[in-house]
Amino acid sequence: MRPLRDTDPRRFIADFFTSFTADLLRSDEDPARIVDRYHTPDIVQIADGHRMDRDTLIAHTRPVRKNRPSSRVEVHEAIADGDRIAARYTLHVTQRGKDLAIEVCFFGRFEPDGRMRRSHMLTRALPAATAGERDAPA
């Protein structure tokens, strides 16, 4: 991972989620090792009020590997201040022949090496017509 300070915030957040997912899907490497490359040991992610720590995040990788979705992140806006980033993006996912689009409002903190330490995410599913749209990625 590139450090946040060296990267445009829009590019940083798109690359972070894209490469994390790709690393999970491209190899049979232990998911804990992949999670640890992208997150600090004390990671806490809160998505729509649901808390995930490192162990929960590792467990969450199992269905991702099983279902093998394709995805892309379309970043609409992002700003950074020191180790913090705020972003609004749409996650476009195709899984089992279905297109999904999820709008995400993301607030996170990252270590100098680019690993995520904390995040809060608010999400909402977008209408089906939006899910199938293929805008240029950020």
Side-chain angles (χ1 to χ4, degrees):
M1 283 304 313
R2 284 189 198 159
L4 174 57
R5 71 179 178 279
D6 295 342
T7 311
D8 172 74
R10 287 177 57 156
R11 175 60 38 214
F12 178 86
I13 204 72
D15 288 351
F16 181 90
F17 287 112
T18 300
S19 60
F20 176 56
T21 302
D23 283 358
L24 282 172
L25 297 178
R26 274 193 294 222
S27 77
D28 292 327
E29 184 180 4
D30 179 3
R33 291 178 57 101
I34 297 170
V35 166
D36 289 345
R37 267 200 307 274
Y38 288 86
H39 303 84
T40 61
D42 61 345
I43 179 66
V44 173
Q45 288 187 335
I46 299 174
D48 299 326
H50 300 281
R51 182 183 191 278
M52 287 196 299
D53 60 13
R54 178 183 177 274
D55 292 337
T56 309
L57 185 58
I58 292 166
H60 184 68
T61 65
R62 288 183 187 94
V64 172
R65 276 192 162 168
K66 179 182 175 189
N67 294 320
R68 299 261 189 238
S70 63
S71 65
R72 79 180 164 83
V73 177
E74 177 187 0
V75 181
H76 307 292
E77 54 194 334
I79 61 171
D81 183 19
D83 66 349
R84 297 170 191 241
I85 189 167
R88 186 176 62 83
Y89 61 89
T90 302
L91 176 61
H92 296 273
V93 178
T94 300
Q95 181 174 298
R96 297 182 183 164
K98 291 185 180 181
D99 289 329
L100 308 168
I102 303 161
E103 184 178 54
V104 181
C105 294
F106 174 90
F107 305 91
R109 294 186 80 162
F110 290 82
E111 287 297 302
D113 64 5
R115 291 178 301 148
M116 184 189 298
R117 175 176 287 289
R118 298 276 184 276
S119 72
H120 290 265
M121 293 176 265
L122 301 171
T123 68
R124 74 178 181 109
L126 296 174
T130 306
E133 292 177 2
R134 296 292 180 208
D135 299 333

